[in-house]
């Protein structure tokens, strides 16, 4: 793995770090502009779609697709981002698995605070089921806030009595709105993107004054995790959100959940988005693709 590549990524992120003091509209414009410079992903088709009453982007392999669906949730601290800004990382999973992905344009804060995004995630999953996509042929995935949303959608779907999907893949998920993990301190300054303070400021748009000590806001420390499907949690060792993944993995394993905690050294938040320019990103996506294929091949329907 390339030390030079990691240094280049770190420098790039420090030069374009997210300014949490900007308004939501400014954050959305800045992030969209930052992500718009890359060419369209290769080897896939992009088709506007809808799911659960929300717009969506369907990403399908140009080659023959396998019988499986990835329900994807983009990142953006619950405030910004879209299926378009996540299309490269979503397409990377589609190319590696041959499964189609449907990337959901869930509602954003502050216009739509907690639990609007979770409601949209559950509605999208329910829509797939109602269109006769078997739960054992569905994997939920996402990055950052979307990684958290993939797990929160499964928790809320479980509580609603829906069948569980085949598995969940979460890249650098946000899983603790209390910001109480030790990595908030130990990775301060090492993380090129976030600090505890910037995350608290961004998170306030989504919290809208609500107590963060709720299961669907801080599942890493407060949720009952029993009955979840197999989980793959990928994180970088340089991110302040690292302990969101480590603590959820520990508690999930204690609850009898099949969970893989996959931490890559000396890389930042959602390092998988640097596919094609960071060796660690491609290796991690390879592992995520194998996890998805293994789950789609082996998971029976389960209530």
């Amino acid at each position: 793995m390339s030390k030079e590549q990691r240094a280049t990524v770190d420098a790039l992120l420090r030069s374009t770090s997210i300014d949490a003091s900007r308004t939501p509209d400014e954050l959305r414009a800045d992030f969209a502009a930052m992500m718009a410079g890359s060419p369209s992903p290769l080897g896939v088709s992009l088709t506007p779609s809808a799911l659960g009453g929300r717009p969506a982007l369907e990403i399908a392999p140009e080659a023959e697709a396998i019988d499986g669906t990835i329900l994807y949730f983009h990142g953006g601290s619950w405030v910004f981002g879209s299926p378009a800004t996540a299309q490269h990382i979503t397409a990377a999973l589609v190319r590696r698995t041959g499964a189609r992905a449907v990337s959901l344009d869930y509602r954003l804060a502050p216009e739509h605070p907690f639990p609007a995004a979770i409601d949209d995630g559950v509605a999208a999953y329910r829509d797939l089921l109602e269109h006769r996509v078997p739960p054992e042929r569905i994997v939920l995935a996402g990055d950052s806030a979307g990684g958290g949303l993939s797990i929160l959608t499964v928790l809320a779907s479980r509580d609603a009595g829906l069948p569980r999907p085949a598995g969940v893949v979460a890249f650098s998920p946000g899983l603790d709105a209390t910001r109480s993990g030790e990595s908030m301190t130990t990775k301060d300054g090492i993380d090129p993107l976030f600090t505890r303070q910037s995350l608290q400021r961004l998170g306030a748009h989504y919290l809208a004054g609500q107590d963060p000590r709720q299961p669907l806001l801080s599942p890493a420390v407060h949720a009952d995790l029993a009955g979840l499907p197999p989980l793959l949690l990928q994180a970088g060792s340089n991110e302040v959100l690292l302990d969101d993944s480590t603590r959820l993995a520990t508690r999930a394993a204690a609850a009898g959940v099949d969970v893989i905690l996959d931490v890559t050294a000396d890389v930042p938040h959602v390092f998988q988005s640097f596919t094609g320019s960071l060796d660690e990103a491609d290796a991690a996506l390879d592992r995520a693709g194998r996890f998805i294929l293994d789950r789609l091949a082996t998971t029976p329907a389960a209530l």
Side-chain angles (χ1 to χ4, degrees):
M1 300 301 177
S2 169
K3 182 177 180 179
E4 292 76 18
Q5 288 177 343
R6 296 195 300 269
T8 298
V9 167
D10 185 87
L12 174 63
L13 292 177
R14 290 183 189 278
S15 70
T16 59
S17 60
I18 296 166
D19 183 356
S21 69
R22 292 174 70 78
T23 68
D25 284 342
E26 289 171 334
L27 287 166
R28 291 165 189 167
D30 290 348
F31 191 65
M34 183 173 69
M35 302 300 290
S38 301
S40 295
L42 301 175
V44 298
S45 62
L46 308 176
T47 306
S49 182
L51 195 63
R54 292 295 304 165
L57 181 66
E58 182 167 337
I59 302 178
E62 289 181 347
E64 183 176 356
I66 68 167
D67 183 14
T69 297
I70 301 168
L71 176 55
Y72 197 86
F73 303 107
H74 68 82
S77 301
W78 309 103
V79 175
F80 50 90
S82 68
T85 63
Q87 63 182 347
H88 284 278
I89 195 170
T90 314
L93 291 178
V94 170
R95 288 194 300 269
R96 282 166 170 80
T97 61
R100 70 155 183 158
V102 184
S103 185
L104 186 69
D105 193 3
Y106 56 88
R107 289 172 292 172
L108 299 175
E111 297 89 345
H112 304 284
F114 170 80
I118 300 170
D119 292 342
D120 290 347
V122 174
Y125 181 55
R126 190 188 298 273
D127 196 356
L128 288 176
L129 298 175
E130 290 176 351
H131 281 84
R132 298 187 179 181
V133 181
E136 66 269 21
R137 310 307 303 173
I138 302 172
V139 170
L140 276 64
D143 63 274
S144 193
L149 183 53
S150 65
I151 292 171
L152 294 167
T153 295
V154 173
L155 285 169
S157 296
R158 177 201 65 186
D159 295 346
L162 297 177
R164 71 182 191 179
V168 177
V169 174
F171 301 130
S172 297
L175 298 165
D176 177 21
T178 71
R179 311 301 180 198
S180 59
E182 288 187 8
S183 57
M184 288 287 159
T185 301
T186 60
K187 303 301 179 180
D188 186 32
I190 297 172
D191 188 322
L193 272 177
F194 295 119
T195 64
R196 187 202 306 265
Q197 292 73 27
S198 67
L199 287 171
Q200 287 175 329
R201 190 161 190 169
L202 289 167
H205 295 297
Y206 183 60
L207 284 173
Q210 300 189 65
D211 187 346
R213 295 170 296 180
Q214 299 182 50
L216 293 183
L217 283 169
S218 299
V221 287
H222 291 295
D224 172 11
L225 304 176
L228 290 187
L231 308 175
L232 171 63
L233 308 175
Q234 289 189 345
S237 72
N238 286 4
E239 56 179 310
V240 292
L241 285 173
L242 174 60
D243 281 354
D244 286 35
S245 290
T246 60
R247 288 176 298 160
L248 186 106
T250 298
R251 295 186 63 246
V257 177
D258 181 0
V259 56
I260 298 172
L261 175 64
D262 181 354
V263 179
T264 297
D266 199 25
V267 293
H269 184 68
V270 195
F271 65 95
Q272 299 87 345
S273 63
F274 290 93
T275 174
S277 60
L278 180 65
D279 291 344
E280 289 87 346
D282 291 306
L285 287 164
D286 287 346
R287 296 192 296 273
R290 175 48 54 192
F291 174 88
I292 292 171
L293 286 172
D294 287 346
R295 297 316 309 164
L296 292 177
T298 62
T299 303
L303 295 176

